[in-house]
Amino acid sequence: MAGPEKRRGCLGCSFPVLIVLGVVIFGILILGLLSGPIGQGLLARFGITVNLPAWLVSAKPAIHLAAPTVFSIFGFNVTNTMLAGWITVIFLVLVSWLITRRMKLVPRPVQAVFEFALGWVYDLCVSVAGEKNGRRFFPVVCTIFLFVAFNAWLSLIPGYGSVEVNGHELLRGANTDLNTPLALAVVSFIFVTYFGLKTLGTGWLKQYFNFGLFFRSVGGIFKGKFKVMDIFSGAVNIFVGGLEFLSMLIRLISFTFRLFGNMTAGEILVIIGAFLIPLVGINFAIYGFELLVGLVQALVFSILTLVFATMAATSHEAESHS
């Protein structure tokens, strides 16, 4: 007859182990609080001074929007955000190669996660743009999504920005440099323009430069066919086309500053949290929030690119059936 089962605590751990873990975690929390300016300020109110080791005290954060140069290659300046962007690209290429080089019919957990993520983005492209255009848009849309997301997530790795070179961080999230969101916005702009011209040809530009009716109406004056409404309608077409062209240019600005603003604000939040309460400044709440922000910004950037590309590619079909 089997003896009585040994009682366990929580999550398979005995109560003494849980108590020890709780004491250690509580000690880290208290130590982190005391080593930060909040804890030091509370102690100072009671006239208590605690001298902690220098490695426990976080330096006052310095926020720099401009990305500093960390080194130069043949006269070409390399900033810390540029270096972080290259690391993101290398990371994505390496992970993709490692996962796809030995793919199996019954996927392993890592392969299954990889296939699920790509399959989800592909289904999104197809649901928005249709089967034909979805397959064409998927590579660019998925690349933008992965690049933006992993740029944000890699910068959350503890110690990612702690190494300094010449007084500057060696690595800094690429999304926090205005140049990277601007470059992505330009890529999105070129992508949408390419498919607009590919599907409609130069006729795609008529939505921005629609002078045909106005010039025909003005030319009709010399032929004795003066129509005020046609001239008015032509002028309206030119005005509306100008607004459309302006909105396309403003799209570049909105894409750039949306990503830059959100990612920079998140980085500042993490830095300030780590400064105010070291050890617990790197906490699950802030990191969980930043993981979500990185995912949302990647989704917003890629989905907007997908929507605008779909609008450009389907305008030809709408006109051909009208």
Side-chain angles (χ1 to χ4, degrees):
M1 184 175 180
E5 294 184 0
K6 186 177 180 180
R7 297 183 61 184
R8 293 183 177 273
C10 181
L11 300 176
C13 297
S14 61
F15 284 109
V17 173
L18 290 176
I19 293 174
V20 171
L21 289 176
V23 170
V24 171
I25 293 174
F26 182 75
I28 293 176
L29 292 174
I30 296 299
L31 185 60
L33 177 63
L34 294 179
S35 60
I38 294 179
Q40 291 291 326
L42 292 174
L43 293 176
R45 294 179 65 90
F46 296 99
I48 301 175
T49 302
V50 178
N51 295 320
L52 297 172
W55 61 271
L56 277 177
V57 181
S58 297
K60 186 177 181 180
I63 308 300
H64 303 285
L65 293 182
T69 300
V70 291
F71 60 87
S72 299
I73 301 178
F74 303 110
F76 180 77
N77 294 331
V78 178
T79 64
N80 52 8
T81 53
M82 188 183 301
L83 186 60
W86 290 348
I87 290 176
T88 302
V89 173
I90 294 172
F91 173 80
L92 289 174
V93 171
L94 182 60
V95 169
S96 300
W97 177 75
L98 290 175
I99 293 176
T100 57
R101 70 190 185 102
R102 292 183 179 178
M103 297 188 68
K104 297 181 179 180
L105 186 61
V106 179
R108 293 167 294 178
V110 177
Q111 180 184 335
V113 172
F114 188 77
E115 291 179 354
F116 171 78
L118 296 187
W120 184 84
V121 176
Y122 176 80
D123 291 339
L124 176 65
C125 292
V126 172
S127 65
V128 173
E131 182 67 31
K132 177 182 176 182
N133 289 329
R135 292 178 64 89
R136 295 194 299 171
F137 298 162
F138 170 71
V140 175
V141 172
C142 187
T143 300
I144 291 176
F145 171 76
L146 293 176
F147 183 74
V148 174
F150 279 91
N151 261 335
W153 292 343
L154 288 178
S155 62
L156 294 177
I157 298 175
Y160 187 84
S162 60
V163 180
E164 293 189 358
V165 175
N166 299 326
H168 300 293
E169 296 175 333
L170 179 62
L171 295 173
R172 174 182 158 190
N175 293 335
T176 62
D177 185 353
L178 186 62
N179 294 301
T180 300
L182 178 59
L184 289 171
V186 171
V187 169
S188 175
F189 175 83
I190 294 174
F191 173 68
V192 172
T193 303
Y194 168 76
F195 276 101
L197 292 174
K198 184 176 181 180
T199 55
L200 189 58
T202 55
W204 179 74
L205 297 174
K206 289 182 180 179
Q207 60 182 315
Y208 306 112
F209 309 103
N210 192 358
F211 304 115
L213 180 59
F214 181 79
F215 287 150
R216 287 195 301 269
S217 302
V218 172
I221 297 177
F222 301 98
K223 298 179 182 179
K225 299 179 180 179
F226 178 72
K227 296 182 179 180
V228 178
M229 290 305 299
D230 286 349
I231 294 178
F232 177 75
S233 298
V236 170
N237 289 341
I238 294 174
F239 178 74
V240 172
L243 291 179
E244 289 289 336
F245 184 73
L246 181 62
S247 68
M248 182 176 62
L249 297 180
I250 293 176
R251 192 185 306 163
L252 282 171
I253 300 175
S254 65
F255 270 39
T256 300
F257 283 96
R258 181 188 295 109
L259 180 59
F260 169 73
N262 283 283
M263 292 295 98
T264 303
E267 182 187 55
I268 293 174
L269 177 64
V270 172
I271 292 174
I272 292 178
F275 168 69
L276 293 177
I277 310 178
L279 300 183
V280 279
I282 306 174
N283 58 72
F284 292 107
I286 294 179
Y287 267 56
F289 176 74
E290 285 307 305
L291 285 171
L292 179 61
V293 169
L295 176 63
V296 170
Q297 290 305 311
L299 281 174
V300 169
F301 208 107
S302 56
I303 289 176
L304 287 178
T305 300
L306 172 63
V307 170
F308 288 128
T310 302
M311 293 170 59
T314 55
S315 62
H316 172 63
E317 299 175 5
E319 291 191 6
S320 63
H321 291 294
S322 60

